[in-house]
Amino acid sequence: MASYAESLLAPGEVVVLRSHQHPLSLVLDSRYGLLAWAAAIVSALVFLFIAGGSGLVHDVSLWVFWVAVVVGLLILAFNYWVWRTEEYLVTNRRMMKVTGVINKRSADSSLEKINDAILEENLLGRILNYGDLDILTAAEVAVDRYRMLNDAKGFKKTMLDADRKSTRLNSSHIPLSR
């Protein structure tokens, strides 16, 4: 089954690179789920060491444990779904950013119209291989912002290479005047 982004491709358009945000963004977006799991651990410790075998504290800590585990799992599963459906593509004609789980949003920039691409990597990003990429057009305003992009340097190189190849192909099809 083709992805939503592939359904937006024009005839003859080929995907050169497909990427997502770095998996660390999934962890950061799921921080409340991770906090729920921390609450589950605290509740389990209360359940095991303080509450004993029965009583109100025992029952409450057991309920808190299961609710926290389920809530944490739901948050993580939803954020994974969002992370998985967000795609960043470089094609032979344009860059595309497709977001949304149910309601989709697609933004693209023609490779010919891109004037500059600003890549920012902090220390952790350089270590873990992610960065932020801003795409600038003639308006000198960032049209698209790609945050925590996995292998941002490779993505930028692929975009520049695709633009170079696209420009070479387009210039070879222009008829020369006599």
Side-chain angles (χ1 to χ4, degrees):
M1 183 168 100
S3 71
Y4 180 79
E6 289 174 356
S7 72
L8 299 173
L9 298 178
E13 191 170 14
V14 178
V15 175
V16 177
L17 177 66
R18 178 185 315 266
S19 188
H20 294 276
Q21 282 187 309
H22 193 273
L24 180 61
S25 69
L26 176 62
V27 173
L28 294 175
D29 290 342
S30 300
R31 63 188 168 272
Y32 296 118
L34 297 174
L35 285 174
W37 284 345
I41 291 170
V42 169
S43 175
L45 292 174
V46 169
F47 173 72
L48 290 173
F49 296 112
I50 299 172
S54 62
L56 182 62
V57 174
H58 172 270
D59 294 342
V60 169
S61 64
L62 185 62
W63 274 101
V64 168
F65 172 79
W66 284 112
V67 167
V69 166
V70 169
V71 166
L73 189 62
L74 289 174
I75 290 171
L76 185 65
F78 177 75
N79 286 330
Y80 177 76
W81 189 21
V82 169
W83 177 81
R84 195 73 189 129
T85 58
E86 189 167 292
E87 292 182 285
Y88 303 100
L89 284 79
V90 176
T91 73
N92 57 337
R93 297 181 185 173
R94 59 186 166 158
M95 290 183 55
M96 293 176 58
K97 177 181 177 181
V98 178
T99 60
V101 174
I102 296 171
N103 297 324
K104 293 289 189 179
R105 181 179 186 277
S106 171
D108 56 77
S109 301
S110 172
L111 293 176
E112 297 170 349
K113 304 293 182 193
I114 295 173
N115 284 352
D116 202 1
I118 300 171
L119 174 63
E120 293 181 17
E121 292 180 307
N122 58 25
L123 179 62
L124 186 61
R126 289 187 4 238
I127 293 169
L128 298 177
N129 195 25
Y130 72 84
D132 297 340
L133 185 64
D134 291 341
I135 305 302
L136 303 172
T137 61
E140 296 292 331
V141 177
V143 173
D144 282 325
R145 297 177 183 269
Y146 297 73
R147 295 291 170 241
M148 288 192 80
L149 182 61
N150 197 25
D151 188 20
K153 281 191 292 191
F155 193 88
K156 182 177 178 181
K157 287 177 186 177
T158 302
M159 177 200 71
L160 294 173
D161 189 47
D163 182 34
R164 188 174 48 84
K165 288 178 182 176
S166 171
T167 304
R168 198 172 13 170
L169 283 174
N170 289 338
S171 65
S172 67
H173 286 53
I174 299 172
L176 299 173
S177 59
R178 295 178 194 196

